[in-house]
Amino acid sequence: MEEYKEFEFFRGRVRFKQPKKHRLSIVEILFVANIKGIRKRSKVLDLGAGFGTLSILISLKHSCQVWAMERDHLMLQLLRENIKLNKLEEKIHVLDLDLRNAKNSLKSQSFDVVVTNPPFYTGYNPANVYHHETDTSLEDFIKTASFLLKDGGYFNLLVASNRLVEVIIYMKKHRLEIESLRFFHPKLQKNAKIVCIHALKNLRPLPVVEKPLIINKDSGEYTQEVKNLLDSFL
């Protein structure tokens, strides 16, 4: 197996084994803190689950059932190990599937909520395969989410802000309508690099642009809002 290390988060309440080139970031924690539509009885699907970041954090935060879909062999191995590390075998169900072929194995409208953090960058980069698209596109993620999501269900997407227009086009095509979005800024005076998007299937909500989330002060310290989110996360 590729080199990896085990880390503890939230005063040891969460543990992850992570590959050297793909680790948990503050952005993913903030994404989970901003996810919408999840209740304790929700069936949640994590598309492209990786080593389990979103699935584990969502299950711990909401005490819900999560289905984690992943195809990469290393990620699947770490995903299973991380589920055991966090004692979530009864809450998280691993789906060893290529999301592009999910409709061959799963029924349409199977989930109440779909979440995903797809690769931010287009094009293949062998030095950074987890953050660049290879043979699976942003539209593939959105198309599969729409197929598996119930009517009226929530789709939560974390994506690079420069791909927002792309997202809107694909969502329209696949019957998903934006309910709200929130831009994540690294600092107050910096442009947003990431946007958190909430959409509904086969409904027409009036879209809301929420106040921006500023992650760091100029000093590099987290803003008070981020500190509060971290303190109350679990």
Side-chain angles (χ1 to χ4, degrees):
M1 179 185 286
E2 173 183 329
E3 181 183 353
Y4 66 89
K5 292 183 179 180
E6 183 177 322
F7 294 86
E8 291 186 351
F9 301 90
F10 301 104
R11 302 178 186 89
R13 296 183 67 182
V14 186
R15 297 162 66 194
F16 285 113
K17 289 184 178 179
Q18 306 176 100
K20 188 176 181 179
K21 296 180 180 179
H22 185 41
R23 296 182 178 178
L24 172 65
S25 74
I26 183 64
V27 170
E28 290 164 307
I29 296 171
L30 296 176
F31 176 44
V32 174
N34 281 271
I35 279 174
K36 295 186 178 182
I38 298 179
R39 297 180 176 87
K40 189 173 182 178
R41 299 185 66 179
S42 296
K43 289 182 64 177
V44 180
L45 173 64
D46 179 6
L47 281 181
F51 58 82
T53 301
L54 300 184
S55 296
I56 288 168
L57 293 178
I58 288 169
S59 184
L60 289 171
K61 185 172 179 63
H62 296 280
S63 299
C64 60
Q65 298 285 321
V66 179
W67 281 257
M69 187 183 298
E70 181 56 56
R71 69 172 189 180
D72 181 87
H73 296 304
L74 171 62
M75 291 295 108
L76 280 166
Q77 185 172 341
L78 289 173
L79 172 61
R80 292 187 172 102
E81 289 187 29
N82 286 329
I83 290 170
K84 289 180 181 179
L85 273 176
N86 292 281
K87 300 178 181 179
L88 290 169
E89 295 95 327
E90 301 300 317
K91 290 285 190 180
I92 301 177
H93 317 281
V94 176
L95 298 173
D96 183 355
L97 288 175
D98 184 326
L99 65 88
R100 296 171 300 172
N101 302 321
K103 64 181 179 182
N104 298 328
S105 302
L106 300 171
K107 293 181 179 180
S108 65
Q109 301 201 47
S110 296
F111 297 95
D112 304 298
V113 180
V114 178
V115 302
T116 189
N117 175 20
F120 283 171
Y121 309 111
T122 59
Y124 175 65
N125 183 346
N128 192 356
V129 295
Y130 299 121
H131 296 98
H132 286 76
E133 292 179 354
T134 53
D135 54 2
T136 306
S137 68
L138 177 57
E139 184 175 8
D140 290 327
F141 280 86
I142 293 172
K143 179 180 179 180
T144 301
S146 179
F147 175 79
L148 295 173
L149 192 61
K150 293 179 181 179
D151 286 343
Y154 267 90
F155 178 45
N156 293 271
L157 171 68
L158 187 70
V159 69
S161 55
N162 60 10
R163 304 190 74 179
L164 178 58
V165 173
E166 220 181 322
V167 168
I168 293 171
I169 292 170
Y170 296 147
M171 283 190 175
K172 288 280 187 182
K173 180 178 177 181
H174 297 290
R175 297 174 292 126
L176 294 164
E177 295 285 344
I178 292 177
E179 181 207 49
S180 62
L181 53 84
R182 190 177 195 190
F183 291 97
F184 291 3
H185 295 249
K187 293 183 180 181
L188 181 60
Q189 303 302 326
K190 298 288 186 179
N191 293 333
K193 291 186 176 181
I194 297 165
V195 60
C196 175
I197 300 172
H198 312 107
L200 295 168
K201 182 179 174 182
N202 282 334
L203 293 178
R204 294 186 176 275
L206 187 64
V208 174
V209 178
E210 298 179 0
K211 68 173 185 176
L213 176 60
I214 313 301
I215 299 174
N216 296 103
K217 300 178 182 178
D218 289 339
S219 64
E221 180 185 5
Y222 288 141
T223 60
Q224 191 60 51
E225 181 177 7
V226 170
K227 288 180 180 179
N228 291 343
L229 285 172
L230 293 175
D231 287 343
S232 63
F233 190 83
L234 293 178

